[in-house]
Amino acid sequence: MVVKPSEKEEEYYARMEFERKKKIEDEKNRNLAKKEKEQLKGLHFMKCPKCGLGLLEIDYKGIKVDKCSECAGIWLDAGELESVAALEKTGLDKLFSVFKR
Ligand SMILES: [Zn+2]
């Protein structure tokens, strides 16, 4: 079958149209994911991962420890466990006494 130039042209424009629409859809999806992330952060930020109630941030020697106001669970942000581990014994004892129930 011989393809007429006009058919090739139509195919080309159809593909261009598809790619243009795909770009718009991809952008929409990216924004949706971003929006969903923001919604999740709005729901969960500074909430206890165990019971869902508010976390209280307490700064101890530059380590911001989050303690649950309800179940007393203690949470650390990324890198803070390393900071706690680097404390000397007396510093560690003081930290534990600060966060005792
Ligand atoms: Zn809790």
Side-chain angles (χ1 to χ4, degrees), residues 47-55 67-73 75:
K47 300 286 183 221
C48 176
K50 285 275 176 82
C51 70
L53 292 175
L55 293 175
K67 183 173 182 173
C68 180
S69 57
E70 177 68 13
C71 73
W75 313 104

mmCIF file of all heavy atoms in Angstrom, residues 47-55 67-73 75, ligand 1:
data_model
loop_
_atom_site.group_PDB
_atom_site.id
_atom_site.type_symbol
_atom_site.label_atom_id
_atom_site.label_comp_id
_atom_site.label_asym_id
_atom_site.label_seq_id
_atom_site.Cartn_x
_atom_site.Cartn_y
_atom_site.Cartn_z
ATOM 1 N N LYS A 47 1.689 15.487 64.299
ATOM 2 C CA LYS A 47 0.714 14.591 64.925
ATOM 3 C C LYS A 47 1.424 13.273 65.214
ATOM 4 O O LYS A 47 2.245 12.809 64.416
ATOM 5 C CB LYS A 47 -0.479 14.318 63.991
ATOM 6 C CG LYS A 47 -1.242 15.554 63.584
ATOM 7 C CD LYS A 47 -2.088 16.104 64.712
ATOM 8 C CE LYS A 47 -2.897 17.295 64.244
ATOM 9 N NZ LYS A 47 -2.948 18.363 65.236
ATOM 10 N N CYS A 48 1.084 12.658 66.326
ATOM 11 C CA CYS A 48 1.702 11.397 66.728
ATOM 12 C C CYS A 48 1.373 10.300 65.704
ATOM 13 O O CYS A 48 0.204 10.117 65.356
ATOM 14 C CB CYS A 48 1.172 11.005 68.100
ATOM 15 S SG CYS A 48 1.770 9.412 68.676
ATOM 16 N N PRO A 49 2.389 9.562 65.225
ATOM 17 C CA PRO A 49 2.113 8.487 64.263
ATOM 18 C C PRO A 49 1.381 7.300 64.889
ATOM 19 O O PRO A 49 0.829 6.468 64.174
ATOM 20 C CB PRO A 49 3.505 8.077 63.766
ATOM 21 C CG PRO A 49 4.439 8.555 64.808
ATOM 22 C CD PRO A 49 3.807 9.729 65.481
ATOM 23 N N LYS A 50 1.350 7.233 66.221
ATOM 24 C CA LYS A 50 0.673 6.126 66.895
ATOM 25 C C LYS A 50 -0.781 6.446 67.214
ATOM 26 O O LYS A 50 -1.673 5.675 66.902
ATOM 27 C CB LYS A 50 1.401 5.772 68.200
ATOM 28 C CG LYS A 50 2.705 5.024 67.978
ATOM 29 C CD LYS A 50 2.468 3.539 67.841
ATOM 30 C CE LYS A 50 3.719 2.761 67.519
ATOM 31 N NZ LYS A 50 4.538 2.447 68.669
ATOM 32 N N CYS A 51 -1.020 7.611 67.861
ATOM 33 C CA CYS A 51 -2.391 7.890 68.293
ATOM 34 C C CYS A 51 -3.023 9.071 67.553
ATOM 35 O O CYS A 51 -4.219 9.305 67.686
ATOM 36 C CB CYS A 51 -2.439 8.113 69.799
ATOM 37 S SG CYS A 51 -1.681 9.649 70.323
ATOM 38 N N GLY A 52 -2.232 9.823 66.792
ATOM 39 C CA GLY A 52 -2.775 10.891 65.963
ATOM 40 C C GLY A 52 -2.974 12.226 66.660
ATOM 41 O O GLY A 52 -3.406 13.193 66.037
ATOM 42 N N LEU A 53 -2.647 12.293 67.953
ATOM 43 C CA LEU A 53 -2.825 13.571 68.658
ATOM 44 C C LEU A 53 -1.557 14.423 68.576
ATOM 45 O O LEU A 53 -0.552 13.995 68.030
ATOM 46 C CB LEU A 53 -3.284 13.314 70.096
ATOM 47 C CG LEU A 53 -4.719 12.735 70.151
ATOM 48 C CD1 LEU A 53 -5.126 12.378 71.565
ATOM 49 C CD2 LEU A 53 -5.736 13.691 69.544
ATOM 50 N N GLY A 54 -1.652 15.625 69.104
ATOM 51 C CA GLY A 54 -0.583 16.604 68.922
ATOM 52 C C GLY A 54 0.763 16.245 69.548
ATOM 53 O O GLY A 54 0.823 15.708 70.642
ATOM 54 N N LEU A 55 1.839 16.577 68.816
ATOM 55 C CA LEU A 55 3.192 16.395 69.347
ATOM 56 C C LEU A 55 3.674 17.729 69.905
ATOM 57 O O LEU A 55 3.373 18.785 69.358
ATOM 58 C CB LEU A 55 4.146 15.945 68.238
ATOM 59 C CG LEU A 55 3.930 14.567 67.629
ATOM 60 C CD1 LEU A 55 4.896 14.357 66.467
ATOM 61 C CD2 LEU A 55 4.095 13.467 68.663
ATOM 62 N N LYS A 67 7.434 14.994 71.508
ATOM 63 C CA LYS A 67 6.798 14.083 72.461
ATOM 64 C C LYS A 67 5.291 14.200 72.333
ATOM 65 O O LYS A 67 4.742 15.305 72.275
ATOM 66 C CB LYS A 67 7.228 14.425 73.892
ATOM 67 C CG LYS A 67 6.655 13.459 74.916
ATOM 68 C CD LYS A 67 7.226 13.711 76.289
ATOM 69 C CE LYS A 67 6.656 12.687 77.267
ATOM 70 N NZ LYS A 67 7.276 12.755 78.572
ATOM 71 N N CYS A 68 4.621 13.063 72.289
ATOM 72 C CA CYS A 68 3.175 13.060 72.141
ATOM 73 C C CYS A 68 2.508 13.549 73.421
ATOM 74 O O CYS A 68 2.876 13.155 74.520
ATOM 75 C CB CYS A 68 2.682 11.659 71.797
ATOM 76 S SG CYS A 68 0.891 11.596 71.614
ATOM 77 N N SER A 69 1.523 14.430 73.236
ATOM 78 C CA SER A 69 0.799 14.994 74.381
ATOM 79 C C SER A 69 -0.166 13.969 74.980
ATOM 80 O O SER A 69 -0.634 14.139 76.100
ATOM 81 C CB SER A 69 0.021 16.234 73.927
ATOM 82 O OG SER A 69 -0.862 15.887 72.864
ATOM 83 N N GLU A 70 -0.444 12.903 74.249
ATOM 84 C CA GLU A 70 -1.416 11.911 74.712
ATOM 85 C C GLU A 70 -0.750 10.616 75.200
ATOM 86 O O GLU A 70 -0.883 10.243 76.353
ATOM 87 C CB GLU A 70 -2.399 11.603 73.575
ATOM 88 C CG GLU A 70 -3.432 10.539 73.875
ATOM 89 C CD GLU A 70 -4.459 10.953 74.924
ATOM 90 O OE1 GLU A 70 -4.539 12.154 75.251
ATOM 91 O OE2 GLU A 70 -5.176 10.062 75.425
ATOM 92 N N CYS A 71 -0.011 9.931 74.306
ATOM 93 C CA CYS A 71 0.533 8.615 74.666
ATOM 94 C C CYS A 71 1.980 8.683 75.148
ATOM 95 O O CYS A 71 2.554 7.657 75.520
ATOM 96 C CB CYS A 71 0.400 7.646 73.487
ATOM 97 S SG CYS A 71 1.543 7.976 72.125
ATOM 98 N N ALA A 72 2.581 9.899 75.143
ATOM 99 C CA ALA A 72 3.947 10.131 75.604
ATOM 100 C C ALA A 72 5.012 9.469 74.747
ATOM 101 O O ALA A 72 6.172 9.368 75.148
ATOM 102 C CB ALA A 72 4.104 9.740 77.071
ATOM 103 N N GLY A 73 4.649 9.019 73.551
ATOM 104 C CA GLY A 73 5.648 8.494 72.621
ATOM 105 C C GLY A 73 6.620 9.595 72.251
ATOM 106 O O GLY A 73 6.266 10.770 72.243
ATOM 107 N N TRP A 75 9.451 10.996 69.427
ATOM 108 C CA TRP A 75 9.800 10.867 68.007
ATOM 109 C C TRP A 75 10.951 11.777 67.657
ATOM 110 O O TRP A 75 11.058 12.876 68.179
ATOM 111 C CB TRP A 75 8.571 11.197 67.141
ATOM 112 C CG TRP A 75 7.359 10.493 67.656
ATOM 113 C CD1 TRP A 75 6.336 11.042 68.362
ATOM 114 C CD2 TRP A 75 7.076 9.084 67.580
ATOM 115 N NE1 TRP A 75 5.438 10.062 68.711
ATOM 116 C CE2 TRP A 75 5.855 8.867 68.248
ATOM 117 C CE3 TRP A 75 7.741 8.009 67.002
ATOM 118 C CZ2 TRP A 75 5.288 7.594 68.361
ATOM 119 C CZ3 TRP A 75 7.171 6.752 67.109
ATOM 120 C CH2 TRP A 75 5.959 6.549 67.777
HETATM 121 ZN ZN ZN B 1 0.549 9.505 70.713
#
